[in-house]
Structures are given as C-alpha cells and as structure tokens.
Amino acid sequence: MQVRWIPAGSTGGVTADELAAAVGPRTAVAVLSHVDYRSGYLADVPALTAVVHDAGGVALWDLCHSAGVVPVHLDRDGVDLAVGCTYKYLNAGPGAPAWLYVAARHLPSADNPVPGWFGAADVFAMAAHHEPATDARRMLSGTPSVIGIVAVDEGVKLVAEAGVERIRAKSRDLTAMVVAYADAHLRPLGAEMASPRDPERRGGHIVIRHPAAQAVTAAMSARGVVPDFRHPDLIRLGLSPLTTSFRELWRALEITREALDER
Ligand SMILES: Cc1ncc(COP(=O)(O)O)c(C=O)c1O
C-alpha cells in the first residue's frame, strides 16, 4: 500500500484540481477533510467525491469539524464513507464516542476490522464464529460508554432542535465578525487572516496567523478566552454557534487585540 499526501495549499484546503492530479487507477480510498482543522477551509464534497469516483476509488470524509455546524448531504452527494467525533459541534464532550457512516450500497461488503459482540447479528449468541449484523450495527465493536452516548443523544437533540441551517447561518455571521474585526484591529498588530475570505469556503472556525501565536494563545487563555494554538503560528478560534454569543465573541476579540498589543 502506498500513501500519498496532498499538502493543503495557500487557500488552506484541497481543491478538485489538486485531488484530480493526485488520484489514479491505483487509488483505493481518498481520505478528505470537509473542514480543514487548521485553516477552516470548507471542501466541496460533491465535486471531490466525483473526482475520487472517476478514478475508481472510494471517498472517506472526515466530518469532525463540520458535523453539527455545516449541513452535510452524504447520501445526496454519493459519499462512500464518513467519520467524525461528537465532542465539537455535537456538544457531547471529550471521551464521547466517534461515529461512522457507511453508504447503504457498501454495507454488505463493509467488514469491521475490530469485530465485537455489539456488531453481531445476535448480540447474545456468543457463537464460536462472528456473524455480523446486516445493518450499520455491524460496524460496532464492544460495550460503549453509556454516559458518552447519553451526552451525544442530548447534544444531537440540541442541534436538531435549532436546525443545522440556522446554526450555519449564525456561524457565518460569527466568522464574518472575526474577519471584519481582524482586518480593522488585528492586522495593524501583525496578525493576518489564515482562513478563506469566501464565506462559501469557510467552516465554523477561524485561524489568525501571527509569529508569536503560542505566547498570544497563552495570554488569551489566562484572560479566560481559550483558543487553540496550532503549529507553527496559528491561533484558532472555535466558534460554537449554539453556545457563543456575539457579545462574547466581541469581548474575546478585544482580548485577542490586547494580547497581540502586548507583544
Ligand atoms: C480532523 C480531525 N479528525 C479527527 C479528530 C478526532 O480524533 P479522535 O477521535 O482521536 O479524538 C479530530 C479531533 O480534533 C480532528 O480535528
């Protein structure tokens, strides 16, 4: 097996042209991020999936940074496989279970590499040979954390109640507020936007580039704003629309400006 990486370009994400140049007849699976964990670049799912299919491969999408904040249409877009966590925009907290999507057409041939009793056709059969369930349950392995699952249940209910389209609308306004503030107040302090300016190509978080990003992130955390530092020079602001108000964001941006000003 050969693994080929596609480095995210200056736009911060993989385009259909870059993917088309990387895949070929030997491509088995392309692993793609819907929202890039650094830049926040929002990839074009139907276009990139089609490129993988044209090469004869399957597309596996990582939705960790989009599930719960950006609408996704896996069946409509012909996606083969998808994975994601539940502790970001799905609100379930660290340690809550990950999830997996397998297109119905692939289920009969989808082998679970870690088979376990929760994925068996008859969970209590305890048979000598593993007989997988015929539905998506076949992808389960062992006993899950009940507390984690209860948290997912509640977190997903909140998203469903608000509606992901409305969450996305607020998310776009939140990120637009950061872009406008950064241009007006952070750029003069040496910080530049490293997320796409096109709202159609932007997910739910924003990254700002500054040479002292690590120290600035620490200074912000000390003042109660907790961003992520990402190597080598990125300050990532994760803006969860269900829990982040515009007033809070404004205050956080002012604290960012103060922390940059002190450098
Ligand atoms: C792009 C991406 N994929 C996957 C994950 C989830 O990793 P894990 O399931 O090990 O927590 C994360 C977590 O931050 C992520 O950013």
Side-chain angles (χ1 to χ4, degrees):
M1 186 181 71
Q2 229 185 0
V3 177
R4 178 181 289 188
W5 294 92
I6 308 175
S10 55
T11 50
V14 176
T15 63
D17 286 345
E18 287 167 331
L19 184 61
V23 295
R26 285 176 50 76
T27 301
V29 57
V31 182
L32 300 156
S33 282
H34 190 195
V35 173
D36 186 278
Y37 81 100
R38 277 178 300 200
S39 68
Y41 177 92
L42 179 64
D44 185 340
V45 173
L48 270 64
T49 301
V51 168
V52 180
H53 287 171
D54 287 348
V58 298
L60 191 169
W61 283 93
D62 182 332
L63 305 184
C64 278
H65 288 271
S66 59
V69 72
V70 178
V72 284
H73 305 280
L74 299 178
D75 287 332
R76 187 196 73 186
D77 294 343
V79 168
D80 302 284
L81 303 161
V83 291
C85 64
T86 55
Y87 54 81
K88 295 188 178 75
Y89 301 98
L90 292 175
N91 316 303
W99 57 266
L100 168 74
Y101 162 91
V102 181
R105 64 186 179 283
H106 291 309
L107 261 184
S109 58
D111 280 336
N112 184 342
V114 190
W117 71 316
F118 266 65
D122 178 353
V123 172
F124 292 102
M126 306 293 171
H129 298 288
H130 181 71
E131 180 63 43
T134 52
D135 59 12
R137 205 167 50 72
R138 68 195 285 141
M139 305 313 290
L140 294 177
S141 298
T143 315
S145 153
V146 172
I147 304 264
I149 283 184
V150 169
V152 174
D153 210 26
E154 292 304 318
V156 169
K157 263 189 220 154
L158 287 176
V159 171
E161 192 184 323
V164 77
E165 296 287 351
R166 289 169 64 212
I167 294 173
R168 170 71 172 152
K170 182 175 174 190
S171 166
R172 288 169 68 134
D173 289 346
L174 288 166
T175 56
M177 185 166 149
V178 179
V179 174
Y181 188 98
D183 284 346
H185 303 293
L186 307 184
R187 194 162 44 190
L189 300 172
E192 60 174 278
M193 279 286 308
S195 290
R197 288 186 169 272
D198 176 1
E200 294 300 321
R201 291 273 66 90
R202 202 162 66 214
H205 66 262
I206 288 275
V207 278
I208 294 162
R209 175 172 283 132
H210 188 276
Q214 192 160 19
V216 171
T217 301
M220 290 166 70
S221 299
R223 288 174 168 83
V225 177
V226 186
D228 297 301
F229 165 66
R230 287 292 175 267
H231 282 286
D233 56 2
L234 299 175
I235 302 164
R236 184 176 74 176
L237 300 173
L239 310 169
S240 178
L242 287 181
T243 52
T244 307
S245 71
F246 292 96
R247 182 189 291 259
E248 281 172 323
L249 177 57
W250 183 262
R251 182 75 195 113
L253 290 168
E254 287 194 321
I255 288 172
T256 310
R257 180 171 56 79
E258 287 163 19
L260 283 166
D261 203 23
E262 284 162 11
R263 298 307 305 173

